[in-house]
Amino acid sequence: MSLNELLAGVRVVGVVCNQWGDTGKGKVVDVLAEKWADVIARGTGGANAGHTIVCDGREFIFHLVPSGILHDSKGKVNVIGEGVVLDPCTLVDELSQLDRAGFSCDNLRISHEAKLVLPHHLVLDRAREFKKGTGKIGTTGRGIGPAYEDHVARRGLVVNDLLNQDAFVKKLAKVLENARLELRAMELDEPVLHEIFNHPLLSNGTFYHSGKLFDEPAIVRTYMEDYAKRLAPFISDTGSFMRGTVGKKNILLEGAQGLLLSVDHGTRPYVTSSDPSINGLAKGVGLRERDVQLCLGIVKAYMTRVGGGPFPTELGGKESEGYCNDHSHNKEFERSAYSHVPLNAQNDLERGIALRIKGQEYGATTKRPRRTGWLDLVALRYAVQFNGPLLFLTKADVLDGCEEMRVCTQYSYTGPDYWYGETLLKSGTLLDRFPVDSSVLEHVQPLYTTLKGWNTPTHSIKSFDSLPRELKEFVRFVETHSQGKMCGLSNGPDREDIIFF
Ligand code: IMP
């Protein structure tokens, strides 16, 4: 089936990730944004997402603007929906980048109801992670959790408050009162506070006040003078626009993060603070899930995870987690120290490193090395229940030359007796269902099926039939064990390296 056949009669498409984020959905989004969509909308997360786009040999890393922004001059509308937590500092910077590169943003629309990220959100996010020691969530430090918390606690500011200085000042005073209480209770030393505040996203320390912790007038000045003026022309009621556009134009909903990081359905507490499922995404742009006619659930041919939290199929297990949490193990270090290690290395930690180097698995936002592991179909079966059965496989080519690969189909519980819903888990209990409770997931041993790899490079192949037999078997195996249906795969970094079937 071609892309055109897949999309025949469809007006609203969602692209979401079925793993822990970073599955390469950006490429599918880019292709759809360019070839099909009239409107491209984001509805969840914020500047914790990172998306690299190469256009005419120039590389852009965006965190907030939707992926269709480079097609603005063709009249495509890019929407930042009400479910997004919007850091104006990041967005203003992205708009300047686009400006300098000669791209227009005339059709960008920012929801007046998007949640506003304020300096105290970034400060609290960083301070909490600093305090934690062990058991860190390993957040991106972009203030995402505290921003959503203010929203749920019914005190948060929204983008519309940028348009009304008096309201902004009043509401800011209230949220800062609360933030001061929490920050004071942490009893951080002055040098630590300085370090936390001294960050480019916090105007390099200008928001810090040694007595009051937050310099309110400095925050108001920056938000009103630097951000409100720049963003005001783009702010509008995007929810009404989206609802009015359904059925009339081609709408692409661009997911962020992944189902397993969902605050509602993910591996709590090691999750982000939004719901990246198709449900959360639709809601975040002001639509209903049933408005989405086609949902593509992205599945990478292997798994990655950034930050803390259980990862049953991780290559190298705990050793890998510790290794990846050392941020000096970055791309440059691994390239020079480990480039000789083959994908078929005997040692699992090394194999994971080889996979990371080949798959370029380093965070676009934080540059952190991503933990790598085998494809987990217990987790995928679970994700399919939320995002639907239609799947798209990415980075299959990264596994080219892998003699054999393991795929997890079931877990064996290894922990102490523990009630999980209606089941008393005992050591040796077999689990077909994905347990989102991290204290269960930390105690499971993955049960693997070993599949034969393929030796031929898949990169230039243009049809499903021409793929190596072993890759076709891999695709069918994933479908059978996830109750999903694969509609295509990507077999290389370029936009052309994509097959629909
Ligand atoms: P936060 O979203 O910054 O609060 O981070 C919470 C958790 O989600 C951490 O484990 C992050 O590493 C993870 N996370 C957030 N955004 C992304 C993403 O875009 N890709 C992968 N992991 C992410």
Side-chain angles (χ1 to χ4, degrees):
M1 190 187 280
S2 68
L3 180 61
N4 285 343
E5 284 166 329
L6 184 70
L7 297 174
V10 172
R11 283 300 206 172
V12 185
V13 172
V15 179
V16 289
C17 159
N18 274 334
Q19 296 165 341
W20 278 293
D22 309 316
T23 40
K25 64 180 151 337
K27 188 165 119 175
V28 182
V29 168
D30 287 346
V31 168
L32 291 175
E34 185 187 352
K35 294 189 195 296
W36 177 81
D38 304 309
V39 177
I40 301 100
R42 277 198 58 183
T44 52
N48 47 353
H51 178 34
T52 309
I53 305 182
V54 180
C55 187
D56 299 334
R58 284 174 296 183
E59 188 180 280
F60 298 89
I61 298 181
F62 295 129
H63 302 284
L64 271 170
V65 285
S67 296
I69 199 72
L70 299 183
H71 306 295
D72 179 276
S73 60
K74 293 176 207 145
K76 300 201 180 218
V77 178
N78 281 272
V79 172
I80 299 179
E82 61 222 54
V84 169
V85 281
L86 185 142
D87 184 344
C89 177
T90 303
L91 185 56
V92 164
D93 180 56
E94 290 180 1
L95 295 181
S96 305
Q97 265 190 64
L98 286 160
D99 220 21
R100 281 195 300 273
F103 287 96
S104 68
C105 294
D106 301 337
N107 298 304
L108 174 67
R109 296 181 186 218
I110 303 169
S111 167
H112 66 320
E113 285 294 326
K115 285 65 192 158
L116 196 61
V117 173
L118 289 154
H120 70 280
H121 295 136
L122 283 98
V123 169
L124 288 176
D125 193 4
R126 285 159 192 268
R128 287 176 192 170
E129 288 286 285
F130 174 84
K131 274 299 257 193
K132 251 185 194 140
T134 55
K136 278 191 190 2
I137 290 173
T139 71
T140 57
R142 298 295 186 122
I144 306 300
Y148 278 117
E149 279 168 37
D150 270 354
H151 169 62
V152 178
R154 299 170 291 193
R155 57 173 175 249
L157 280 73
V158 292
V159 164
N160 201 66
D161 293 317
L162 287 176
L163 303 176
N164 301 285
Q165 183 159 344
D166 289 350
F168 180 87
V169 171
K170 250 191 226 148
K171 291 181 186 176
L172 178 70
K174 217 162 188 173
V175 283
L176 287 186
E177 212 176 276
N178 211 71
R180 282 191 183 102
L181 282 178
E182 182 177 342
L183 203 54
R184 288 219 165 90
M186 287 189 204
E187 299 181 334
L188 297 170
D189 295 335
E190 191 87 8
V192 174
L193 280 171
H194 270 284
E195 201 187 313
I196 288 173
F197 273 84
N198 190 15
H199 190 278
L201 289 173
L202 290 161
S203 284
N204 296 311
T206 49
F207 297 143
Y208 180 65
H209 186 288
S210 59
K212 298 181 184 161
L213 293 174
F214 295 98
D215 187 332
E216 247 165 274
I219 297 174
V220 173
R221 249 190 334 269
T222 304
Y223 272 65
M224 289 297 133
E225 294 299 317
D226 300 346
Y227 304 155
K229 284 196 179 136
R230 180 76 174 100
L231 300 181
F234 305 108
I235 299 172
S236 66
D237 178 356
T238 60
S240 294
F241 166 74
M242 292 296 292
R243 290 185 288 278
T245 305
V246 170
K248 299 182 186 137
K249 297 210 167 193
N250 292 345
I251 300 177
L252 173 63
L253 306 186
E254 176 182 358
Q257 287 80 47
L259 191 277
L260 303 178
L261 284 174
S262 165
V263 69
D264 296 318
H265 314 298
T267 52
R268 270 186 317 272
Y270 301 98
V271 291
T272 189
S273 297
S274 63
D275 174 20
S277 72
I278 191 62
N279 231 327
L281 177 56
K283 184 177 162 197
V285 298
L287 299 182
R288 303 162 301 178
E289 192 202 356
R290 64 182 148 126
D291 292 322
V292 183
Q293 294 158 291
L294 192 134
C295 176
L296 278 184
I298 308 293
V299 182
K300 190 156 61 180
Y302 50 93
M303 305 276 278
T304 55
R305 173 162 210 172
V306 202
F311 180 0
T313 60
E314 182 166 14
L315 276 155
K318 281 274 163 222
E319 199 186 345
S320 159
E321 184 179 356
Y323 172 95
C324 290
N325 283 338
D326 179 342
H327 296 183
S328 68
H329 294 149
N330 56 20
K331 188 171 175 175
E332 289 68 37
F333 166 79
E334 291 201 326
R335 280 238 180 103
S336 66
Y338 286 102
S339 55
H340 62 283
V341 175
L343 211 49
N344 296 306
Q346 288 304 308
N347 175 292
D348 270 353
L349 179 72
E350 289 193 352
R351 204 167 186 179
I353 293 173
L355 193 55
R356 181 161 48 251
I357 295 174
K358 188 161 180 210
Q360 303 254 7
E361 299 292 354
Y362 304 89
T365 301
T366 58
K367 316 287 174 222
R368 292 181 286 183
R370 296 177 186 144
R371 300 154 63 191
T372 49
W374 298 115
L375 183 58
D376 183 341
L377 297 181
V378 184
L380 182 58
R381 276 200 292 276
Y382 176 73
V384 162
Q385 291 170 17
F386 296 94
N387 290 334
L390 201 60
L391 305 177
F392 184 93
L393 186 72
T394 54
K395 293 194 154 182
D397 57 300
V398 175
L399 296 180
D400 289 358
C402 196
E403 280 160 13
E404 52 179 35
M405 57 208 62
R406 279 178 266 159
V407 183
C408 168
T409 51
Q410 210 180 23
Y411 300 143
S412 170
Y413 180 69
T414 55
D417 287 6
Y418 188 86
W419 277 103
Y420 188 61
E422 69 280 27
T423 312
L424 175 61
L425 300 177
K426 290 181 164 290
S427 183
T429 305
L430 294 179
L431 289 166
D432 289 308
R433 278 186 298 150
F434 185 72
V436 280
D437 184 336
S438 286
S439 42
V440 177
L441 209 51
E442 258 150 19
H443 296 286
V444 298
Q445 189 192 335
L447 302 180
Y448 290 111
T449 298
T450 301
L451 300 178
K452 208 169 169 321
W454 50 93
N455 242 330
T456 30
T458 52
H459 184 204
S460 51
I461 297 175
K462 298 284 175 220
S463 72
F464 183 76
D465 289 343
S466 315
L467 292 172
R469 180 173 47 82
E470 295 84 357
L471 175 51
K472 286 190 267 191
E473 280 169 13
F474 178 80
V475 167
R476 296 300 172 225
F477 189 89
V478 173
E479 289 183 325
T480 306
H481 290 268
S482 65
Q483 279 114 42
K485 176 82 190 96
M486 207 72 86
C487 70
L489 63 75
S490 105
N491 55 340
D494 298 329
R495 282 187 195 193
E496 295 69 39
D497 303 327
I498 199 162
I499 305 171
F500 285 91
F501 42 83

